[in-house]
Amino acid sequence: AQKITQTQPGMFVQEKEAVTLDCTYDTSDPSYGLFWYKQPSSGEMIFLIYQGSYDQQNATEGRYSLNFQKARKSANLVISASQLGDSAMYFCAMREGGSNYKLTFGKGTLLTVNP
Amino acid sequence: DGGITQSPKYLFRKEGQNVTLSCEQNLNHDAMYWYRQDPGQGLRLIYYSQIVNDFQKGDIAEGYSVSREKKESFPLTVTSAQKNPTAFYLCASDPQGQLGSPLHFGNGTRLTVT
């Protein structure tokens, strides 16, 4: 069974609008962390935001916020005020406390920002 | 500047040849990882090492080998036994033992085997 599911292979958004990228996860470990990475066409992986399973508040980093719904096991990334430079692949990933801290990735969502 | 260096950026090999991908980090991180990325797929873990002279298989270790003789270096050998070696390979590191510490990635090596 997949531990991380990203159901949107591709998404389009108009410049300056907000967009939500979906991520659901599966774990029975009470201690885990959720990460979002951005991968531009150049291939580098850029860390965006982190949410711990025990964190009470949703994480925010500039224009990025994480909509964490623990009971639904979802960790959606919200990008506000989209910019052309936001066009990239976005990956959701999870690290479980009991798994030697290995990071497991979803298949990603390709976001295209239109002018 | 601290970071992870992967070389070369592009690598071409003939089928049946072993090839070694380099990964060097100067972040003083204990843990290092190798991931493989195919089109339309996420990153899949090949091998990881939590400490010098120790490493564990990831989810797709068959046809690959690694060594960790120095903290700074974690080379990956793609052997002739790997049936579909053409892919984008990413090396990463982190301080280890911290659930919330993000992985730092290199810029990747794109391997093409014909």
Side-chain angles (χ1 to χ4, degrees), chain A residues 21-39:
Chain A
L21 305 183
D22 294 341
C23 172
T24 58
Y25 60 91
D26 182 26
T27 182
S28 57
D29 195 326
S31 178
Y32 56 91
L34 297 156
F35 301 78
W36 277 92
Y37 282 85
K38 172 185 178 181
Q39 187 180 43

Side-chain angles (χ1 to χ4, degrees), chain A residues 8 11 17 20-21 30 35 44-45 50 56 61 64-65 75 78 80-81 83 91 97 100 108-109 111:
Chain A
Q8 306 154 315
M11 287 282 286
E17 291 185 353
T20 298
L21 305 183
F35 301 78
E44 63 193 295
M45 294 289 285
Y50 167 77
Q56 295 297 314
E61 287 287 347
Y64 304 108
S65 60
V78 180
S80 63
Q83 302 171 356
F91 292 98
N100 285 335
T109 295
L111 177 65

Side-chain angles (χ1 to χ4, degrees), chain A residues 3-103:
Chain A
K3 284 184 177 286
I4 296 285
T5 302
Q6 295 181 254
T7 57
Q8 306 154 315
M11 287 282 286
F12 294 89
V13 65
Q14 288 298 121
E15 196 177 3
K16 299 180 185 176
E17 291 185 353
V19 62
T20 298
L21 305 183
D22 294 341
C23 172
T24 58
Y25 60 91
D26 182 26
T27 182
S28 57
D29 195 326
S31 178
Y32 56 91
L34 297 156
F35 301 78
W36 277 92
Y37 282 85
K38 172 185 178 181
Q39 187 180 43
S41 56
S42 57
E44 63 193 295
M45 294 289 285
I46 302 168
F47 165 69
L48 298 177
I49 197 167
Y50 167 77
Q51 180 85 42
S53 60
Y54 296 116
D55 293 344
Q56 295 297 314
Q57 292 188 325
N58 287 344
T60 60
E61 287 287 347
R63 292 188 299 112
Y64 304 108
S65 60
L66 203 152
N67 183 2
F68 181 47
Q69 297 186 45
K70 195 170 182 177
R72 296 180 61 184
K73 294 188 175 178
S74 74
N76 298 340
L77 177 70
V78 180
I79 305 174
S80 63
S82 296
Q83 302 171 356
L84 296 178
D86 293 335
S87 294
M89 281 291 289
Y90 288 81
F91 292 98
C92 179
M94 178 174 66
R95 174 180 268 167
E96 296 165 291
S99 69
N100 285 335
Y101 296 97
K102 293 184 295 180
L103 199 59

